[in-house]
Amino acid sequence: MPNKAYALEWITFAKKNLDTAKLLFKLNHYEDIIGIELQQCLEKTLKSIMANKNIKIPRDRDLVKIYYSIEPFIPLEEK
């Protein structure tokens, strides 16, 4: 059974990271932090999918490992 409330929490946090990255980019400020904010946004977005699918969310920050745990739900196609 999907855990939509928990997924919504994760996606809300991800949106905050994205908004922060956009603001820093617009202000041409702290370019090194923009990458960190975008990584956090992607990580939290992937973890929101895990939450929605009731997959245990790891403390790991490795985006590739996290993606592989949800790959059956969102496969990437090579073209």
Side-chain angles (χ1 to χ4, degrees):
M1 172 180 282
N3 191 338
K4 291 182 181 182
Y6 194 38
L8 183 60
E9 284 183 48
W10 278 104
I11 207 71
T12 300
F13 290 136
K15 175 78 167 71
K16 290 177 183 178
N17 289 116
L18 181 59
D19 290 344
T20 300
K22 284 180 179 180
L23 179 64
L24 290 172
F25 182 77
K26 182 179 175 182
L27 296 173
N28 196 24
H29 205 34
Y30 299 114
E31 292 87 1
D32 55 331
I33 303 301
I34 294 170
I36 294 169
E37 291 295 332
L38 292 173
Q39 185 278 338
Q40 288 289 301
C41 175
L42 181 54
E43 177 187 338
K44 291 170 186 174
T45 300
L46 294 174
K47 287 180 176 181
S48 75
I49 296 168
M50 295 177 77
N52 190 54
K53 300 295 182 182
N54 270 334
I55 299 170
K56 185 178 182 207
I57 297 175
R59 291 186 172 265
D60 200 334
R61 297 192 178 275
D62 184 331
L63 296 176
V64 174
K65 283 183 184 178
I66 296 168
Y67 170 73
Y68 283 139
S69 67
I70 61 170
E71 185 179 24
F73 308 108
I74 53 166
L76 295 178
E77 296 180 20
E78 291 187 30
K79 294 185 180 193

